[in-house]
Amino acid sequence: LALAAGFSEAISFGFIEARHAEPFLGGDAPVALANPLSEKFAVMRPSLVPGLVGAVSHNRRHGRRDIQLFEIGTRFSPRGETRALALAWTGLATPEHWSDHRRDADFFDLKGVAEQLGALFGVGLEAVAPDEGTVPAHVLVPGRSAAMRVGASLIGWLGQLQPAIGDAHEVPTQEAVWVGE
């Protein structure tokens, strides 16, 4: 479904820089490598989002403005490994059209994709206002994010990436990057 919604699949490294992992740790210690190849590959990723933001940055540096990426992969914490799906979207929400009624992607576009993915698997996703700990507050812009629930179970989050995190990856700060996991 992500492909049908216009997203391209990305595959990123399981090893990332400690500074890129830090916002996603949620109070946990990073899973550090005993003998990393370099500081760029010093810890295991606690989230798929840093890799997608790095891919957004790469695409922006090469002149691409409209970017929709997804990744299915493993994330790591001191409690073990878990599989996840992550999305990143920046630029136009609508394709070019002769009428030129184009607009940039927003929260509701990403939420709609998440709900369609849930429907594909027969799961009714509900976007709710984030509580303390349900959304990584230092990762997403307050008021532009949501926790995703199935019944009472928290299964993910989505929203606008904090500009400082995009800036650390060299994404232009004036552009909204929408992410979810």
Side-chain angles (χ1 to χ4, degrees):
L1 178 69
L3 291 170
F7 285 76
S8 297
E9 185 172 12
I11 300 172
S12 60
F13 288 115
F15 312 118
I16 62 174
E17 288 183 65
R19 69 184 179 105
H20 292 311
E22 211 245 298
F24 298 89
L25 293 171
D28 289 336
V31 177
L33 297 174
N35 189 17
L37 295 172
S38 74
E39 285 304 309
K40 282 201 153 304
F41 305 108
V43 299
M44 302 298 288
R45 64 182 176 194
S47 168
L48 302 177
V49 172
L52 289 181
V53 175
V56 166
S57 174
H58 175 84
N59 279 277
R60 288 297 293 125
R61 283 192 309 271
H62 288 86
R64 183 156 179 117
R65 181 183 182 278
D66 307 320
I67 304 161
Q68 293 174 260
L69 299 172
F70 79 95
E71 181 172 6
I72 298 171
T74 304
R75 55 194 176 175
F76 305 88
S77 78
R79 294 175 301 287
E81 301 176 16
T82 55
R83 301 277 294 165
L85 163 72
L87 302 165
W89 193 347
T90 189
L92 292 177
T94 54
E96 289 193 43
H97 188 266
W98 63 268
S99 66
D100 203 35
H101 293 292
R102 300 180 299 182
R103 63 174 180 77
D104 283 345
D106 62 21
F107 171 82
F108 298 102
D109 294 313
L110 189 63
K111 178 180 167 275
V113 170
E115 290 170 343
Q116 287 177 346
L117 286 167
L120 178 69
F121 293 104
V123 176
L125 292 179
E126 180 183 14
V128 297
D131 299 344
E132 182 67 32
T134 59
V135 172
H138 47 284
V139 171
L140 301 176
V141 174
R144 294 178 164 229
S145 61
M148 299 302 290
R149 295 191 181 277
V150 174
S153 299
L154 174 71
I155 64 159
W157 47 264
L158 55 86
Q160 183 182 355
L161 186 71
Q162 284 282 2
I165 294 174
D167 190 44
H169 286 273
E170 301 175 6
V171 174
T173 55
Q174 72 274 14
E175 295 178 12
V177 179
W178 300 93
V179 296
E181 186 170 63

